[in-house]
C-alpha cells in the first residue's frame, strides 16, 4: 500500500503552489489542512457524492474523500433529472459534498449535505496518511449509456496510481510542471489526469474555468508548462492563432500539449505545429481503463495516432470473434482493442452481468474500440465497434480515418461518417458534413474523389448529408446515434 499524494501526506511545503482556480489558490500546506477536514468528516463513509463543478471546492472535496479511503462519486451538474436519480439510487451515497453557494437539485435533498470550506484555518491540521488497500474503490464514475442507463465504473486506488505513474514516465511529468486546463471535473480526463495527476507529482494545476484561448495564453505565458484539452478546444486554438500572438507565444513556450477524449483532426495538428513549432500529442483511454496508450514526450508526435501502450498496459487487437488476435500490424487491418493491466476498473457497480460480459475469461477488457496498429507499435483508433465499424463491399472500414480525410477538404468544417444498409455493398458510407461556406457546400463527387485519393477507393462516401451543426455531448464527442434525428 502506498500513498496517492506524498506531497500532501509527508511534510507539505507552506509555499509550494498546488491548486489555482481563477483568483483563488491553495498551497500544498493549505490543501493538506482543508482536505484533512473533509477526510475527517467522511472517514467512516463508503461512498461520497461530489457536486463536481469546476471549482476549488470540488478538487478539495475529492482529495479529502481519497485521503479518508472512501470512494468519490462525481456528479455532472448538467445531468438530467432521470439520469441523476438513477446514479443516486445505484451508488447510494451517504453524503454529498458541494460548494457553500451551490444550489442542488431536488434529487439530492434527501442526502446529507456537507459544504466544503476551502479557507485554511490558522495553524490548520495536516493531511493524515492515506495508505489504504490498493484495490479499495477510489472513484465510481458513471459512463454515458447508449443502450441503457449509465453504469458506474468502480475505479480502485491501484488504477489511479498505475495510470498517473505511467503517464509520468511517458510524458516526463515531474513536480516542476505546471498544468493548465479548463476541463470539467466529473470525468476521468479533467479530474484524474487534470487534478489528481499534478497533485501526485507534487506539481501545480491552474484551472481556467470556462475555456478561452485568452485564458490559456495568459497561463502559458505565466509559467505553465503543460496544456490538456479536447479537440474542440484545440480547434478553437488553431482558429485563433492568426489573431492572437500571445497565444502563439504561450504555446511555443509550453513543454507539452496533450489532446484526448476524441480524435484531433490532422489539419488542426498541422496548423498548430506550423504556427508554434509544437506538436500536440494524443493519448487513448476510457472511464473503465483510465489511460491505455500515449505518444511519448520523447517519441514521434505522429498526427492521427494515440502512440504506444503505456508501461504496465498490455494491448492487443482481436478479430470479430473477440478472441483471435490480429497478427498483421500493417496499419490497415482493423481489430477490436482489448487491454489488461493495473489501470483497469474492478467492476460495474451492482452489475455483475455487465462486468462479466466486459472481460474475457483470461482477463482482457473488451473496449469496443476499433483500431489498427503500425509495425512500430503505434496505435490508430478508427472508431467504436457499435457505431464506427462499417462493412462495405467485403472490407472492414473505420469511420474515423474517413472523417479525418474529409476534414482536410477546404469545404468541410465538421464531419461525421456512418454506415447505412445497402443491397449491393452490405453497407454504404454516409458523410455528414457541416460546410465551411453554407452558401457553397461541397458536392458528393468532389468529396468522394478527395477521400479516394487519400485513403482508398472503397473508403469513399456514397451519400452526402449536409447539416448546420453536428450533435455533440459535453466533451465535444459527436453523438452519432442521434444523427438521424437531424435529417
Amino acid at each position: 500500500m502506498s500513498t496517492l499524494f506524498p506531497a500532501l501526506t509527508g511534510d507539505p511545503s507552506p509555499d509550494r503552489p498546488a491548486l489555482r482556480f481563477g483568483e483563488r489558490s491553495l498551497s500544498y500546506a493549505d490543501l493538506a489542512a482543508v482536505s484533512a477536514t473533509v477526510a475527517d468528516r467522511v472517514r467512516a463513509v463508503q461512498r461520497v457524492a461530489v457536486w463536481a463543478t469546476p471549482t476549488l471546492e470540488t478538487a478539495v472535496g475529492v482529495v479529502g474523500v481519497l485521503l479518508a479511503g472512501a470512494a468519490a462519486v462525481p456528479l455532472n451538474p448538467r445531468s438530467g433529472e432521470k439520469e441523476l436519480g438513477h446514479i443516486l439510487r445505484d451508488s447510494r451515497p451517504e453524503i454529498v459534498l458541494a460548494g457553500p453557494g451551490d444550489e442542488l437539485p431536488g434529487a439530492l435533498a434527501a442526502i446529507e449535505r456537507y459544504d466544503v470550506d476551502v479557507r485554511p484555518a490558522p495553524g490548520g491540521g495536516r493531511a493524515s496518511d492515506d495508505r489504504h488497500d490498493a484495490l479499495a474503490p477510489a472513484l465510481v464514475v458513471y459512463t454515458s449509456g447508449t443502450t441503457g442507463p449509465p453504469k458506474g465504473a468502480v475505479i480502485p486506488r491501484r488504477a489511479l496510481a498505475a495510470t498517473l505513474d505511467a503517464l509520468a514516465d511517458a510524458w516526463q511529468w515531474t513536480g516542476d510542471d505546471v498544468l493548465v486546463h479548463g476541463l470539467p471535473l466529473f470525468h476521468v480526463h479533467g479530474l484524474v489526469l487534470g487534478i489528481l495527476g499534478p497533485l501526485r507529482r507534487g506539481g501545480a494545476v491552474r484551472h481556467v474555468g470556462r475555456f478561452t484561448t485568452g485564458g490559456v495564453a495568459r497561463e502559458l505565458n505565466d509559467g505553465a508548462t503543460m496544456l490538456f484539452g479536447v479537440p474542440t478546444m484545440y480547434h478553437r486554438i488553431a482558429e485563433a492563432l492568426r489573431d492572437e500572438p500571445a497565444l502563439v507565444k504561450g504555446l511555443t513556450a509550453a513543454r507539452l500539449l496533450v489532446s484526448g477524449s476524441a480524435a484531433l483532426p490532422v489539419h488542426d495538428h498541422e496548423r498548430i505545429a506550423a504556427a508554434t513549432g509544437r506538436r500536440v500529442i494524443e493519448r487513448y483511454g476510457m472511464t473503465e481503463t483510465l489511460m491505455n496508450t500515449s505518444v511519448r514526450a520523447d517519441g514521434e508526435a505522429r498526427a492521427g495516432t494515440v502512440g504506444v501502450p503505456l508501461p504496465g498496459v498490455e494491448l492487443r487487437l482481436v478479430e470479430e470473434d473477440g478472441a483471435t488476435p490480429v497478427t498483421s500490424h500493417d496499419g490497415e487491418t482493423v481489430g477490436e482493442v482489448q487491454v489488461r493491466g493495473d489501470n483497469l476498473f474492478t467492476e460495474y457497480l451492482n452489475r455483475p452481468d455487465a462486468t462479466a460480459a466486459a472481460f474475457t475469461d483470461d482477463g482482457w477488457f473488451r473496449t469496443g474500440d476499433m483500431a489498427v496498429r503500425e509495425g512500430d507499435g503505434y496505435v490508430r483508433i478508427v472508431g467504436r465497434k457499435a457505431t464506427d465499424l462499417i462493412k462495405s463491399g467485403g472490407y472492414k472500414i473505420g469511420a474515423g480515418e474517413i472523417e479525418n480525410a474529409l476534414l482536410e477538404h477546404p469545404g468541410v468544417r465538421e464531419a461525421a461518417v456512418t454506415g447505412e444498409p445497402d443491397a449491393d455493398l452490405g453497407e454504404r458510407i454516409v458523410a455528414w458534413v457541416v460546410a465551411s461556406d453554407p452558401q457553397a457546400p461541397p458536392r458528393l463527387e468532389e468529396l468522394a474523389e478527395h477521400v479516394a485519393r487519400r485513403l482508398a477507393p472503397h473508403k469513399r462516401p456514397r451519400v452526402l448529408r449536409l447539416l448546420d451543426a453536428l450533435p455533440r455531448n459535453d466533451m465535444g464527442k459527436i453523438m452519432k446515434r442521434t444523427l438521424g434525428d437531424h435529417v
Side-chain angles (χ1 to χ4, degrees):
M1 294 184 290
S2 61
T3 178
L4 285 175
F5 307 115
L8 275 182
T9 55
D11 186 15
S13 166
D15 301 318
R16 189 170 183 82
L19 299 170
R20 191 169 88 190
F21 284 72
E23 299 301 315
R24 301 190 302 160
S25 62
L26 290 172
S27 69
Y28 269 89
D30 289 341
L31 175 59
V34 295
S35 59
T37 301
V38 175
D40 289 342
R41 177 62 190 84
V42 303
R43 198 168 300 281
V45 174
Q46 183 180 16
R47 286 189 286 272
V48 180
V50 180
W51 191 244
T53 56
T55 61
L56 202 54
E57 284 79 7
T58 295
V60 169
V62 171
V63 170
V65 172
L66 295 176
L67 291 175
V73 185
L75 302 177
N76 179 356
R78 298 181 63 179
S79 291
E81 181 180 345
K82 183 177 180 180
E83 181 177 273
L84 181 60
H86 163 74
I87 291 171
L88 296 175
R89 288 190 299 273
D90 191 56
S91 61
R92 298 188 177 278
E94 298 172 54
I95 298 176
V96 57
L97 305 185
D102 290 341
E103 184 176 341
L104 303 185
L108 288 160
I111 302 173
E112 181 182 351
R113 173 174 177 159
Y114 179 79
D115 284 347
V116 176
D117 189 347
V118 298
R119 298 169 300 176
R126 285 176 52 183
S128 59
D129 189 347
D130 72 334
R131 297 172 192 268
H132 301 283
D133 189 325
L135 287 176
L139 299 170
V140 182
V141 182
Y142 278 80
T143 64
S144 53
T146 55
T147 58
K151 300 188 291 290
V154 179
I155 300 172
R157 299 173 70 87
R158 179 181 71 181
L160 297 182
T163 273
L164 295 177
D165 291 348
L167 290 176
D169 177 271
W171 296 345
Q172 301 171 5
W173 194 353
T174 74
D176 293 328
D177 279 306
V178 177
L179 170 65
V180 58
H181 72 88
L183 298 163
L185 302 187
F186 50 80
H187 60 79
V188 164
H189 192 173
L191 180 60
V192 176
L193 275 62
I195 299 295
L196 305 185
L199 297 181
R200 182 162 174 81
R201 302 270 69 82
V205 56
R206 301 177 189 169
H207 196 287
V208 297
R210 183 175 177 272
F211 171 85
T212 65
T213 55
V216 167
R218 180 184 66 249
E219 298 300 342
L220 289 177
N221 284 302
D222 189 31
T225 61
M226 302 168 65
L227 171 66
F228 289 177
V230 298
T232 300
M233 296 174 179
Y234 280 105
H235 177 73
R236 292 174 185 171
I237 285 172
E239 293 278 290
L241 288 171
R242 185 176 60 183
D243 300 319
E244 297 185 27
L247 181 61
V248 175
K249 181 181 177 183
L251 293 169
T252 301
R255 187 182 73 79
L256 201 68
L257 309 175
V258 183
S259 180
S261 297
L264 179 62
V266 172
H267 75 295
D268 286 334
H269 271 285
E270 299 305 328
R271 287 196 291 174
I272 292 170
T276 69
R278 310 296 300 175
R279 303 215 54 111
V280 180
I281 69 171
E282 295 188 79
R283 84 299 179 281
Y284 160 60
M286 300 176 65
T287 300
E288 293 91 337
T289 67
L290 300 185
M291 293 301 111
N292 298 312
T293 73
S294 180
V295 174
R296 295 182 60 88
D298 56 1
E300 179 188 353
R302 197 178 301 166
T305 78
V306 292
V308 297
L310 290 168
V313 177
E314 295 180 79
L315 182 147
R316 70 180 185 182
L317 304 184
V318 298
E319 302 282 1
E320 285 186 75
D321 62 8
T324 305
V326 172
T327 57
S328 180
H329 295 169
D330 56 4
E332 286 290 335
T333 304
V334 177
E336 181 188 359
V337 178
Q338 294 184 352
V339 293
R340 287 195 304 200
D342 287 346
N343 56 312
L344 295 185
F345 78 130
T346 53
E347 63 174 335
Y348 290 118
L349 188 65
N350 304 320
R351 292 290 305 275
D353 55 337
T355 303
F359 288 90
T360 66
D361 291 340
D362 52 350
W364 292 91
F365 175 69
R366 301 180 171 104
T367 68
D369 288 317
M370 308 302 293
V372 300
R373 201 165 185 181
E374 307 286 351
D376 60 2
Y378 270 62
V379 176
R380 180 158 48 88
I381 306 298
V382 298
R384 290 290 292 168
K385 186 176 182 179
T387 57
D388 296 319
L389 181 64
I390 302 168
K391 298 176 183 178
S392 182
Y395 294 98
K396 288 191 293 185
I397 302 166
E401 60 182 341
I402 305 174
E403 290 163 354
N404 265 328
L406 288 169
L407 287 168
E408 293 177 22
H409 190 282
V412 175
R413 184 160 63 88
E414 296 181 73
V417 168
T418 60
E420 67 180 23
D422 184 275
D424 179 44
L425 297 169
E427 284 187 291
R428 56 178 170 264
I429 296 169
V430 180
W432 305 77
V433 166
V434 177
S436 300
D437 179 1
Q439 302 305 313
R443 296 175 293 107
L444 173 61
E445 294 76 12
E446 63 181 291
L447 292 180
E449 182 182 350
H450 171 85
V451 170
R453 284 200 312 268
R454 279 160 175 74
L455 300 177
H458 66 269
K459 296 179 181 179
R460 68 188 186 277
R462 309 289 181 133
V463 178
L464 172 63
R465 297 206 171 102
L466 296 169
L467 298 175
D468 294 330
L470 295 179
R472 297 179 183 270
N473 65 13
D474 289 336
M475 290 303 299
K477 293 183 180 180
I478 298 168
M479 298 186 293
K480 291 193 175 181
R481 292 180 184 275
T482 69
L483 278 171
D485 300 335
H486 296 259
V487 177

